[in-house]
Amino acid sequence: MRVAGVGFNSAATPEGVLTALRAAETVAGPVAALATIGHKADRLAELTVALGLPVSGHDVAGVATPSQSDRVQALFGTGSVAEAAALMAAGPGARLIMGRVAQGGVSVAVAEGKTQ
């Protein structure tokens, strides 16, 4: 299953999330689900309701990511919320097929795993 991990700030809009997601899908292909940090899952679901994709929230602390943000590490215990959430949601053995790309307060990364 291909999952888009999404990190976003409080100013993120549905249009901004959709634009970032569509840009990611242009590079990585279509995704079957969205994932983010646990406490933002409901907000992501609100922002993406028109997509009809499942949204999951994850505890991303301690998840190793290729991208590293000192600020995100200090706040959430991982280098990239988008990458960590994508990896967690895609399941054991998942791999990133697109690292974090940020635009307009939204970051998206895509992971692929064996989870269906």
Side-chain angles (χ1 to χ4, degrees), residues 76-97:
F76 305 115
T78 189
S80 166
V81 167
E83 290 175 353
L87 288 166
M88 294 290 294
R95 64 182 179 83
L96 284 175
I97 59 171

Side-chain angles (χ1 to χ4, degrees), residues 3 6-8 11 16 21-22 25 31 37 40 45-47 52 68 70 79 81-82 84 91-92 95 101 114-115:
V3 179
V6 183
F8 55 97
L21 180 61
R22 293 299 182 227
E25 287 183 315
V31 299
I37 194 163
K40 288 191 172 184
E46 291 170 12
L47 290 170
Q68 293 295 309
D70 291 339
V81 167
R95 64 182 179 83
V101 176
K114 297 177 183 173
T115 305

Side-chain angles (χ1 to χ4, degrees), residues 65 67-74 78-80 100:
T65 61
S67 296
Q68 293 295 309
S69 163
D70 291 339
R71 181 179 163 279
V72 172
Q73 183 69 46
T78 189
S80 166
R100 174 181 63 95

